[in-house]
Amino acid sequence: MNTEPESFHGRNRVSAKALSRVVSAITADSLGVAAKDVAVDLADDNGLLGVKASTPIRVRPLGRDQRSVLDRAADTQNVIRDRMLDLTGSSVGSVSVRLTAARTSTEGRTR
């Protein structure tokens, strides 16, 4: 039995379109909206992945949300950084989350 670690040659490349879809899904999950409603722009950020996401946000009726809309958007920036590294191996630098609309509902996420 070989106990030495395997060595891998070459690298895997993930297309920009695939990365954009992953960012859309992560953002949508974090803010309670459909991934198709999230627009993503990717750019080089000094060797890291720069992310700009424009998205609506799902909000509950007044008095039910514990965190402000701005707090949730800021949390989403960190979620994008962490999950992109976990899911794709991409190190994310700057993340901008632009909220385009607030959608209210008393139910869970709609798709």
Side-chain angles (χ1 to χ4, degrees):
M1 182 164 140
N2 185 0
T3 58
E4 293 191 29
E6 292 184 38
S7 63
F8 296 95
H9 300 286
R11 47 174 101 181
N12 292 327
R13 293 184 52 94
V14 180
S15 74
K17 185 174 184 177
L19 291 172
S20 291
R21 287 188 177 179
V22 173
V23 171
S24 292
I26 292 167
T27 304
D29 186 55
S30 181
L31 297 175
V33 296
K36 67 179 179 67
D37 294 334
V38 179
V40 174
D41 289 316
L42 302 176
D44 178 19
D45 182 23
N46 295 318
L48 300 175
L49 185 63
V51 174
K52 291 181 183 177
S54 298
T55 179
I57 186 171
R58 175 83 46 204
V59 294
R60 294 187 184 118
L62 292 174
R64 294 190 59 194
D65 274 340
Q66 297 299 318
R67 296 177 298 144
S68 74
V69 168
L70 294 178
D71 287 342
R72 290 178 58 204
D75 290 347
T76 298
Q77 292 174 309
N78 293 323
V79 169
I80 291 169
R81 277 189 198 92
D82 295 342
R83 298 218 30 225
M84 282 297 289
L85 184 59
D86 290 344
L87 296 172
T88 69
S90 298
S91 295
V92 176
S94 64
V95 178
S96 171
V97 175
R98 181 176 163 251
L99 301 176
T100 59
R103 297 185 178 160
T104 59
S105 88
T106 55
E107 303 172 16
R109 178 182 352 174
T110 59
R111 292 181 188 228

Short mmCIF file of all heavy atoms in Angstrom, two decimals, residues 11-74:
data_model
loop_
_atom_site.label_atom_id
_atom_site.label_comp_id
_atom_site.label_asym_id
_atom_site.label_seq_id
_atom_site.Cartn_x
_atom_site.Cartn_y
_atom_site.Cartn_z
N ARG A 11 -3.78 22.11 -13.49
CA ARG A 11 -4.74 22.82 -12.66
C ARG A 11 -6.12 22.75 -13.28
O ARG A 11 -6.27 22.53 -14.46
CB ARG A 11 -4.34 24.27 -12.40
CG ARG A 11 -3.90 25.06 -13.59
CD ARG A 11 -3.68 26.49 -13.23
NE ARG A 11 -2.28 26.80 -13.04
CZ ARG A 11 -1.82 27.97 -12.71
NH1 ARG A 11 -2.65 28.95 -12.52
NH2 ARG A 11 -0.56 28.19 -12.56
N ASN A 12 -7.08 22.92 -12.43
CA ASN A 12 -8.46 22.97 -12.89
C ASN A 12 -8.82 24.42 -13.13
O ASN A 12 -8.47 25.29 -12.36
CB ASN A 12 -9.42 22.40 -11.84
CG ASN A 12 -9.23 20.92 -11.66
OD1 ASN A 12 -8.91 20.22 -12.60
ND2 ASN A 12 -9.42 20.45 -10.46
N ARG A 13 -9.53 24.65 -14.22
CA ARG A 13 -9.98 26.00 -14.51
C ARG A 13 -11.50 26.01 -14.47
O ARG A 13 -12.15 25.17 -15.06
CB ARG A 13 -9.48 26.45 -15.88
CG ARG A 13 -7.96 26.61 -15.91
CD ARG A 13 -7.48 27.15 -17.24
NE ARG A 13 -8.16 28.35 -17.65
CZ ARG A 13 -7.73 29.59 -17.42
NH1 ARG A 13 -6.62 29.77 -16.75
NH2 ARG A 13 -8.40 30.62 -17.85
N VAL A 14 -12.03 26.97 -13.77
CA VAL A 14 -13.47 27.14 -13.69
C VAL A 14 -13.80 28.38 -14.50
O VAL A 14 -13.22 29.45 -14.31
CB VAL A 14 -13.92 27.31 -12.22
CG1 VAL A 14 -15.43 27.49 -12.15
CG2 VAL A 14 -13.48 26.11 -11.38
N SER A 15 -14.73 28.25 -15.43
CA SER A 15 -15.06 29.37 -16.32
C SER A 15 -15.69 30.51 -15.54
O SER A 15 -16.28 30.33 -14.47
CB SER A 15 -16.00 28.91 -17.43
OG SER A 15 -17.30 28.70 -16.93
N ALA A 16 -15.58 31.70 -16.12
CA ALA A 16 -16.19 32.88 -15.50
C ALA A 16 -17.71 32.71 -15.39
O ALA A 16 -18.31 33.13 -14.40
CB ALA A 16 -15.85 34.14 -16.30
N LYS A 17 -18.32 32.07 -16.38
CA LYS A 17 -19.76 31.85 -16.34
C LYS A 17 -20.13 30.95 -15.16
O LYS A 17 -21.10 31.21 -14.45
CB LYS A 17 -20.24 31.24 -17.65
CG LYS A 17 -21.73 31.09 -17.74
CD LYS A 17 -22.15 30.62 -19.12
CE LYS A 17 -23.66 30.56 -19.23
NZ LYS A 17 -24.07 30.17 -20.57
N ALA A 18 -19.35 29.90 -14.94
CA ALA A 18 -19.62 29.00 -13.81
C ALA A 18 -19.42 29.73 -12.48
O ALA A 18 -20.22 29.57 -11.56
CB ALA A 18 -18.71 27.77 -13.89
N LEU A 19 -18.37 30.53 -12.39
CA LEU A 19 -18.14 31.30 -11.16
C LEU A 19 -19.30 32.27 -10.90
O LEU A 19 -19.75 32.42 -9.77
CB LEU A 19 -16.81 32.05 -11.23
CG LEU A 19 -15.55 31.20 -11.18
CD1 LEU A 19 -14.32 32.07 -11.45
CD2 LEU A 19 -15.43 30.46 -9.87
N SER A 20 -19.77 32.92 -11.96
CA SER A 20 -20.90 33.84 -11.82
C SER A 20 -22.14 33.13 -11.31
O SER A 20 -22.86 33.65 -10.45
CB SER A 20 -21.22 34.51 -13.16
OG SER A 20 -20.21 35.39 -13.54
N ARG A 21 -22.38 31.94 -11.81
CA ARG A 21 -23.55 31.18 -11.36
C ARG A 21 -23.43 30.76 -9.90
O ARG A 21 -24.41 30.76 -9.16
CB ARG A 21 -23.77 29.97 -12.26
CG ARG A 21 -24.31 30.37 -13.60
CD ARG A 21 -24.70 29.20 -14.42
NE ARG A 21 -25.28 29.66 -15.68
CZ ARG A 21 -25.70 28.86 -16.62
NH1 ARG A 21 -25.63 27.55 -16.46
NH2 ARG A 21 -26.20 29.33 -17.72
N VAL A 22 -22.22 30.42 -9.50
CA VAL A 22 -22.01 30.05 -8.09
C VAL A 22 -22.25 31.26 -7.20
O VAL A 22 -22.93 31.17 -6.17
CB VAL A 22 -20.61 29.44 -7.86
CG1 VAL A 22 -20.33 29.24 -6.38
CG2 VAL A 22 -20.46 28.13 -8.61
N VAL A 23 -21.72 32.43 -7.59
CA VAL A 23 -21.95 33.66 -6.81
C VAL A 23 -23.44 33.97 -6.76
O VAL A 23 -23.97 34.32 -5.70
CB VAL A 23 -21.17 34.86 -7.39
CG1 VAL A 23 -21.59 36.16 -6.72
CG2 VAL A 23 -19.67 34.65 -7.24
N SER A 24 -24.14 33.81 -7.88
CA SER A 24 -25.59 34.06 -7.91
C SER A 24 -26.31 33.16 -6.92
O SER A 24 -27.18 33.62 -6.17
CB SER A 24 -26.16 33.82 -9.31
OG SER A 24 -25.68 34.78 -10.21
N ALA A 25 -25.96 31.89 -6.91
CA ALA A 25 -26.62 30.94 -6.01
C ALA A 25 -26.33 31.25 -4.55
O ALA A 25 -27.23 31.21 -3.70
CB ALA A 25 -26.19 29.52 -6.35
N ILE A 26 -25.08 31.58 -4.24
CA ILE A 26 -24.71 31.91 -2.86
C ILE A 26 -25.45 33.16 -2.40
O ILE A 26 -26.01 33.20 -1.30
CB ILE A 26 -23.18 32.12 -2.75
CG1 ILE A 26 -22.45 30.80 -2.98
CG2 ILE A 26 -22.81 32.72 -1.40
CD1 ILE A 26 -20.95 30.96 -3.19
N THR A 27 -25.46 34.18 -3.24
CA THR A 27 -26.12 35.44 -2.90
C THR A 27 -27.62 35.23 -2.71
O THR A 27 -28.20 35.71 -1.73
CB THR A 27 -25.86 36.49 -4.00
OG1 THR A 27 -24.44 36.63 -4.18
CG2 THR A 27 -26.47 37.83 -3.65
N ALA A 28 -28.22 34.51 -3.64
CA ALA A 28 -29.66 34.25 -3.57
C ALA A 28 -30.01 33.49 -2.29
O ALA A 28 -30.98 33.83 -1.61
CB ALA A 28 -30.09 33.45 -4.80
N ASP A 29 -29.23 32.50 -1.96
CA ASP A 29 -29.49 31.72 -0.75
C ASP A 29 -29.38 32.60 0.50
O ASP A 29 -30.19 32.50 1.41
CB ASP A 29 -28.50 30.55 -0.68
CG ASP A 29 -28.79 29.62 0.47
OD1 ASP A 29 -29.92 29.12 0.57
OD2 ASP A 29 -27.86 29.40 1.28
N SER A 30 -28.39 33.46 0.52
CA SER A 30 -28.17 34.32 1.69
C SER A 30 -29.27 35.36 1.87
O SER A 30 -29.61 35.70 3.00
CB SER A 30 -26.81 35.01 1.56
OG SER A 30 -26.55 35.83 2.66
N LEU A 31 -29.84 35.86 0.75
CA LEU A 31 -30.80 36.95 0.83
C LEU A 31 -32.25 36.52 0.56
O LEU A 31 -33.15 37.35 0.55
CB LEU A 31 -30.39 38.08 -0.11
CG LEU A 31 -29.05 38.72 0.23
CD1 LEU A 31 -28.66 39.76 -0.82
CD2 LEU A 31 -29.08 39.35 1.62
N GLY A 32 -32.47 35.22 0.33
CA GLY A 32 -33.82 34.71 0.19
C GLY A 32 -34.52 35.03 -1.11
O GLY A 32 -35.73 35.23 -1.15
N VAL A 33 -33.75 35.10 -2.19
CA VAL A 33 -34.33 35.39 -3.50
C VAL A 33 -33.93 34.28 -4.48
O VAL A 33 -33.13 33.41 -4.15
CB VAL A 33 -33.89 36.77 -4.03
CG1 VAL A 33 -34.40 37.89 -3.13
CG2 VAL A 33 -32.38 36.86 -4.19
N ALA A 34 -34.45 34.35 -5.69
CA ALA A 34 -34.10 33.38 -6.72
C ALA A 34 -32.76 33.75 -7.36
O ALA A 34 -32.48 34.94 -7.59
CB ALA A 34 -35.18 33.33 -7.79
N ALA A 35 -31.96 32.75 -7.66
CA ALA A 35 -30.64 32.99 -8.27
C ALA A 35 -30.75 33.72 -9.60
O ALA A 35 -29.89 34.53 -9.94
CB ALA A 35 -29.89 31.67 -8.45
N LYS A 36 -31.84 33.47 -10.34
CA LYS A 36 -32.02 34.14 -11.64
C LYS A 36 -32.19 35.65 -11.50
O LYS A 36 -32.00 36.39 -12.46
CB LYS A 36 -33.20 33.54 -12.39
CG LYS A 36 -34.54 33.80 -11.76
CD LYS A 36 -35.68 33.19 -12.57
CE LYS A 36 -37.02 33.43 -11.94
NZ LYS A 36 -37.44 34.81 -11.92
N ASP A 37 -32.52 36.11 -10.30
CA ASP A 37 -32.71 37.54 -10.06
C ASP A 37 -31.44 38.27 -9.65
O ASP A 37 -31.45 39.48 -9.44
CB ASP A 37 -33.78 37.76 -8.99
CG ASP A 37 -35.15 37.31 -9.45
OD1 ASP A 37 -35.41 37.30 -10.68
OD2 ASP A 37 -35.98 36.95 -8.59
N VAL A 38 -30.34 37.54 -9.51
CA VAL A 38 -29.07 38.12 -9.08
C VAL A 38 -28.17 38.32 -10.29
O VAL A 38 -27.89 37.38 -11.03
CB VAL A 38 -28.36 37.20 -8.05
CG1 VAL A 38 -27.03 37.81 -7.62
CG2 VAL A 38 -29.25 36.93 -6.85
N ALA A 39 -27.72 39.56 -10.50
CA ALA A 39 -26.77 39.87 -11.58
C ALA A 39 -25.38 39.95 -10.97
O ALA A 39 -25.20 40.53 -9.90
CB ALA A 39 -27.13 41.19 -12.24
N VAL A 40 -24.40 39.35 -11.66
CA VAL A 40 -23.04 39.28 -11.12
C VAL A 40 -22.04 39.78 -12.15
O VAL A 40 -22.12 39.43 -13.33
CB VAL A 40 -22.68 37.83 -10.73
CG1 VAL A 40 -21.24 37.72 -10.29
CG2 VAL A 40 -23.61 37.33 -9.63
N ASP A 41 -21.11 40.60 -11.69
CA ASP A 41 -19.95 41.01 -12.49
C ASP A 41 -18.71 40.57 -11.74
O ASP A 41 -18.59 40.79 -10.53
CB ASP A 41 -19.91 42.54 -12.68
CG ASP A 41 -21.00 43.05 -13.60
OD1 ASP A 41 -21.23 42.43 -14.65
OD2 ASP A 41 -21.62 44.08 -13.26
N LEU A 42 -17.77 39.96 -12.48
CA LEU A 42 -16.52 39.51 -11.89
C LEU A 42 -15.37 40.31 -12.51
O LEU A 42 -15.42 40.69 -13.67
CB LEU A 42 -16.30 38.02 -12.16
CG LEU A 42 -17.39 37.08 -11.66
CD1 LEU A 42 -17.08 35.65 -12.09
CD2 LEU A 42 -17.53 37.17 -10.15
N ALA A 43 -14.34 40.55 -11.71
CA ALA A 43 -13.18 41.29 -12.20
C ALA A 43 -11.94 40.84 -11.42
O ALA A 43 -12.05 40.19 -10.37
CB ALA A 43 -13.38 42.79 -12.01
N ASP A 44 -10.79 41.18 -11.95
CA ASP A 44 -9.53 40.92 -11.25
C ASP A 44 -9.37 41.99 -10.17
O ASP A 44 -9.51 43.17 -10.43
CB ASP A 44 -8.37 40.97 -12.24
CG ASP A 44 -7.03 40.75 -11.57
OD1 ASP A 44 -6.98 40.20 -10.45
OD2 ASP A 44 -6.01 41.12 -12.18
N ASP A 45 -9.08 41.55 -8.96
CA ASP A 45 -8.86 42.46 -7.84
C ASP A 45 -7.47 42.18 -7.26
O ASP A 45 -7.33 41.50 -6.26
CB ASP A 45 -9.95 42.25 -6.78
CG ASP A 45 -9.82 43.19 -5.59
OD1 ASP A 45 -9.19 44.26 -5.75
OD2 ASP A 45 -10.35 42.85 -4.52
N ASN A 46 -6.45 42.66 -7.99
CA ASN A 46 -5.05 42.43 -7.59
C ASN A 46 -4.74 40.95 -7.37
O ASN A 46 -4.17 40.55 -6.37
CB ASN A 46 -4.70 43.23 -6.33
CG ASN A 46 -4.75 44.72 -6.58
OD1 ASN A 46 -4.29 45.19 -7.62
ND2 ASN A 46 -5.32 45.46 -5.64
N GLY A 47 -5.17 40.13 -8.34
CA GLY A 47 -4.91 38.70 -8.28
C GLY A 47 -5.99 37.89 -7.58
O GLY A 47 -5.98 36.67 -7.62
N LEU A 48 -6.91 38.57 -6.93
CA LEU A 48 -8.06 37.89 -6.31
C LEU A 48 -9.29 38.12 -7.18
O LEU A 48 -9.26 38.92 -8.12
CB LEU A 48 -8.30 38.44 -4.90
CG LEU A 48 -7.15 38.29 -3.91
CD1 LEU A 48 -7.50 39.00 -2.60
CD2 LEU A 48 -6.83 36.83 -3.67
N LEU A 49 -10.34 37.44 -6.88
CA LEU A 49 -11.58 37.60 -7.62
C LEU A 49 -12.39 38.74 -7.02
O LEU A 49 -12.72 38.72 -5.83
CB LEU A 49 -12.39 36.29 -7.56
CG LEU A 49 -13.67 36.23 -8.37
CD1 LEU A 49 -13.36 36.37 -9.87
CD2 LEU A 49 -14.38 34.92 -8.10
N GLY A 50 -12.69 39.74 -7.81
CA GLY A 50 -13.56 40.84 -7.38
C GLY A 50 -14.98 40.54 -7.79
O GLY A 50 -15.23 40.11 -8.92
N VAL A 51 -15.91 40.73 -6.88
CA VAL A 51 -17.31 40.37 -7.13
C VAL A 51 -18.20 41.59 -6.91
O VAL A 51 -18.09 42.29 -5.90
CB VAL A 51 -17.76 39.25 -6.17
CG1 VAL A 51 -19.25 38.97 -6.32
CG2 VAL A 51 -16.94 37.99 -6.38
N LYS A 52 -19.10 41.82 -7.88
CA LYS A 52 -20.17 42.81 -7.73
C LYS A 52 -21.47 42.09 -7.99
O LYS A 52 -21.67 41.52 -9.07
CB LYS A 52 -20.01 43.95 -8.74
CG LYS A 52 -18.82 44.84 -8.48
CD LYS A 52 -18.74 45.96 -9.50
CE LYS A 52 -17.50 46.79 -9.27
NZ LYS A 52 -17.36 47.85 -10.27
N ALA A 53 -22.34 42.07 -7.00
CA ALA A 53 -23.64 41.42 -7.14
C ALA A 53 -24.74 42.45 -6.96
O ALA A 53 -24.72 43.22 -6.01
CB ALA A 53 -23.79 40.30 -6.10
N SER A 54 -25.68 42.48 -7.89
CA SER A 54 -26.86 43.33 -7.80
C SER A 54 -28.06 42.42 -7.61
O SER A 54 -28.28 41.51 -8.42
CB SER A 54 -27.03 44.16 -9.08
OG SER A 54 -25.93 45.01 -9.27
N THR A 55 -28.81 42.66 -6.55
CA THR A 55 -29.84 41.71 -6.17
C THR A 55 -30.97 42.35 -5.38
O THR A 55 -30.74 43.31 -4.65
CB THR A 55 -29.21 40.59 -5.31
OG1 THR A 55 -30.21 39.66 -4.92
CG2 THR A 55 -28.53 41.14 -4.08
N PRO A 56 -32.16 41.79 -5.51
CA PRO A 56 -33.22 42.16 -4.56
C PRO A 56 -32.94 41.46 -3.23
O PRO A 56 -32.05 40.59 -3.16
CB PRO A 56 -34.49 41.64 -5.22
CG PRO A 56 -34.04 40.55 -6.13
CD PRO A 56 -32.64 40.89 -6.54
N ILE A 57 -33.68 41.81 -2.22
CA ILE A 57 -33.57 41.15 -0.92
C ILE A 57 -34.98 40.81 -0.43
O ILE A 57 -35.91 41.59 -0.64
CB ILE A 57 -32.81 42.02 0.11
CG1 ILE A 57 -32.58 41.27 1.41
CG2 ILE A 57 -33.51 43.34 0.33
CD1 ILE A 57 -31.65 42.01 2.39
N ARG A 58 -35.12 39.65 0.15
CA ARG A 58 -36.41 39.25 0.72
C ARG A 58 -36.46 39.77 2.15
O ARG A 58 -35.54 39.55 2.93
CB ARG A 58 -36.51 37.72 0.71
CG ARG A 58 -37.74 37.18 1.38
CD ARG A 58 -38.98 37.15 0.55
NE ARG A 58 -38.76 36.62 -0.79
CZ ARG A 58 -39.56 36.91 -1.82
NH1 ARG A 58 -40.59 37.71 -1.66
NH2 ARG A 58 -39.32 36.41 -3.00
N VAL A 59 -37.53 40.49 2.48
CA VAL A 59 -37.71 41.00 3.84
C VAL A 59 -39.05 40.53 4.37
O VAL A 59 -40.02 40.37 3.62
CB VAL A 59 -37.61 42.54 3.92
CG1 VAL A 59 -36.21 43.02 3.59
CG2 VAL A 59 -38.62 43.21 3.02
N ARG A 60 -39.09 40.30 5.64
CA ARG A 60 -40.34 39.91 6.31
C ARG A 60 -41.07 41.18 6.72
O ARG A 60 -40.48 42.25 6.81
CB ARG A 60 -40.02 39.06 7.52
CG ARG A 60 -39.41 37.73 7.15
CD ARG A 60 -39.28 36.85 8.37
NE ARG A 60 -38.61 35.63 8.01
CZ ARG A 60 -37.45 35.25 8.50
NH1 ARG A 60 -36.82 35.97 9.39
NH2 ARG A 60 -36.91 34.11 8.12
N PRO A 61 -42.36 41.06 7.05
CA PRO A 61 -43.10 42.23 7.53
C PRO A 61 -42.40 42.86 8.74
O PRO A 61 -41.68 42.18 9.47
CB PRO A 61 -44.46 41.65 7.93
CG PRO A 61 -44.60 40.43 7.09
CD PRO A 61 -43.21 39.88 6.95
N LEU A 62 -42.64 44.13 8.94
CA LEU A 62 -41.99 44.86 10.03
C LEU A 62 -42.13 44.12 11.36
O LEU A 62 -43.18 43.57 11.68
CB LEU A 62 -42.58 46.26 10.16
CG LEU A 62 -42.27 47.19 9.01
CD1 LEU A 62 -43.02 48.51 9.18
CD2 LEU A 62 -40.78 47.45 8.89
N GLY A 63 -41.06 44.15 12.13
CA GLY A 63 -41.07 43.55 13.45
C GLY A 63 -40.62 42.11 13.49
O GLY A 63 -40.38 41.57 14.54
N ARG A 64 -40.43 41.47 12.30
CA ARG A 64 -40.05 40.07 12.31
C ARG A 64 -38.57 39.84 12.03
O ARG A 64 -38.03 38.82 12.41
CB ARG A 64 -40.89 39.30 11.31
CG ARG A 64 -42.37 39.29 11.77
CD ARG A 64 -43.21 38.36 10.98
NE ARG A 64 -42.72 37.00 11.08
CZ ARG A 64 -43.12 36.03 10.29
NH1 ARG A 64 -43.99 36.26 9.36
NH2 ARG A 64 -42.65 34.81 10.42
N ASP A 65 -37.92 40.75 11.32
CA ASP A 65 -36.49 40.60 11.04
C ASP A 65 -35.69 41.06 12.24
O ASP A 65 -35.95 42.13 12.80
CB ASP A 65 -36.08 41.42 9.82
CG ASP A 65 -36.29 40.68 8.52
OD1 ASP A 65 -36.39 39.45 8.53
OD2 ASP A 65 -36.35 41.36 7.50
N GLN A 66 -34.73 40.28 12.63
CA GLN A 66 -33.87 40.65 13.75
C GLN A 66 -32.72 41.55 13.31
O GLN A 66 -32.20 42.31 14.09
CB GLN A 66 -33.31 39.37 14.41
CG GLN A 66 -34.38 38.49 15.00
CD GLN A 66 -35.16 39.20 16.09
OE1 GLN A 66 -34.57 39.90 16.91
NE2 GLN A 66 -36.46 39.05 16.09
N ARG A 67 -32.31 41.43 12.06
CA ARG A 67 -31.19 42.22 11.57
C ARG A 67 -31.66 43.20 10.49
O ARG A 67 -32.61 42.92 9.78
CB ARG A 67 -30.13 41.30 10.97
CG ARG A 67 -29.51 40.36 11.99
CD ARG A 67 -28.53 39.44 11.35
NE ARG A 67 -29.21 38.61 10.37
CZ ARG A 67 -28.66 38.23 9.23
NH1 ARG A 67 -27.45 38.57 8.92
NH2 ARG A 67 -29.35 37.48 8.39
N SER A 68 -30.96 44.30 10.37
CA SER A 68 -31.33 45.29 9.36
C SER A 68 -30.96 44.78 7.97
O SER A 68 -30.14 43.86 7.81
CB SER A 68 -30.62 46.62 9.62
OG SER A 68 -29.25 46.52 9.28
N VAL A 69 -31.54 45.40 6.97
CA VAL A 69 -31.23 45.06 5.58
C VAL A 69 -29.75 45.28 5.31
O VAL A 69 -29.09 44.46 4.65
CB VAL A 69 -32.12 45.90 4.63
CG1 VAL A 69 -31.66 45.80 3.20
CG2 VAL A 69 -33.58 45.49 4.77
N LEU A 70 -29.19 46.36 5.83
CA LEU A 70 -27.77 46.63 5.61
C LEU A 70 -26.88 45.60 6.29
O LEU A 70 -25.85 45.20 5.74
CB LEU A 70 -27.42 48.05 6.08
CG LEU A 70 -28.07 49.18 5.29
CD1 LEU A 70 -27.70 50.53 5.88
CD2 LEU A 70 -27.69 49.11 3.82
N ASP A 71 -27.27 45.15 7.48
CA ASP A 71 -26.51 44.10 8.16
C ASP A 71 -26.53 42.80 7.35
O ASP A 71 -25.51 42.12 7.22
CB ASP A 71 -27.06 43.82 9.56
CG ASP A 71 -26.75 44.93 10.55
OD1 ASP A 71 -25.84 45.74 10.28
OD2 ASP A 71 -27.44 44.98 11.59
N ARG A 72 -27.68 42.47 6.80
CA ARG A 72 -27.78 41.25 6.00
C ARG A 72 -26.94 41.35 4.73
O ARG A 72 -26.31 40.39 4.32
CB ARG A 72 -29.24 40.98 5.65
CG ARG A 72 -30.05 40.55 6.87
CD ARG A 72 -31.51 40.33 6.57
NE ARG A 72 -31.68 39.32 5.54
CZ ARG A 72 -32.76 39.25 4.76
NH1 ARG A 72 -33.74 40.13 4.89
NH2 ARG A 72 -32.86 38.30 3.85
N ALA A 73 -26.90 42.54 4.10
CA ALA A 73 -26.07 42.72 2.92
C ALA A 73 -24.59 42.59 3.27
O ALA A 73 -23.83 41.96 2.54
CB ALA A 73 -26.35 44.08 2.28
N ALA A 74 -24.18 43.16 4.40
CA ALA A 74 -22.79 43.05 4.84
C ALA A 74 -22.43 41.60 5.16
O ALA A 74 -21.35 41.12 4.80
CB ALA A 74 -22.55 43.94 6.06
#
